Amino acid sequence: MTYACPHCRQPGIAAMAKRWSSRETPAACGRCGKLSHVLASTSSGIGVAGLLIIVLSGIAAAAWDMAPLLLLGVGLAVANNFLAWRRARLWPISKESADSAKKAGWFVLGLLALFGLGS
């Protein structure tokens, strides 16, 4: 499955490229070659929603002593994941912005490692 590029409006972005895209690692369109990404808040929200569905179904399964509720929750989480990624919007990003985001990400990771080693 391919998704429409926000630049050329043609289906040129693969499903897995969209799923793994971020500011640091944007997806490239197969038709025009320009870059786009899914917002971090959107991709994080999809993961948190899936986790919340599983946790709530686990609590309900334990409270009512009905193990199939947990399986139902896992199925709902998987279905929500597929539907949410299908609806997630791609945003255009320039090569320069992606490179800057990648450098900033490495800088922050270095700071975290430095402070992590110091404590």
Side-chain angles (χ1 to χ4, degrees):
M1 171 174 246
T2 57
Y3 294 96
C5 171
H7 296 281
C8 65
R9 307 278 187 234
Q10 297 297 317
I13 297 180
M16 289 309 290
K18 178 180 179 180
R19 184 174 288 258
W20 292 106
S21 67
S22 65
R23 287 186 60 83
E24 296 86 9
T25 57
C29 177
R31 296 194 183 229
C32 68
K34 293 187 178 176
L35 304 174
S36 58
H37 68 97
V38 175
L39 295 177
S41 57
T42 302
S43 61
S44 296
I46 292 170
V48 168
L51 186 63
L52 183 65
I53 291 169
I54 292 173
V55 167
L56 290 177
S57 67
I59 291 170
W64 292 325
D65 198 25
M66 294 177 63
L69 281 178
L70 181 60
L71 294 175
L72 179 65
V74 170
L76 284 172
V78 169
N80 177 62
N81 190 294
F82 280 111
L83 292 174
W85 276 108
R86 191 174 279 187
R87 287 186 320 235
R89 183 174 175 197
L90 285 164
W91 294 86
I93 188 170
S94 67
K95 175 106 173 88
E96 295 79 24
S97 294
D99 290 341
S100 296
K102 190 177 291 186
K103 287 177 187 172
W106 280 109
F107 178 72
V108 169
L109 187 63
L111 286 177
L112 288 174
L114 180 67
F115 290 129
L117 292 174
S119 60

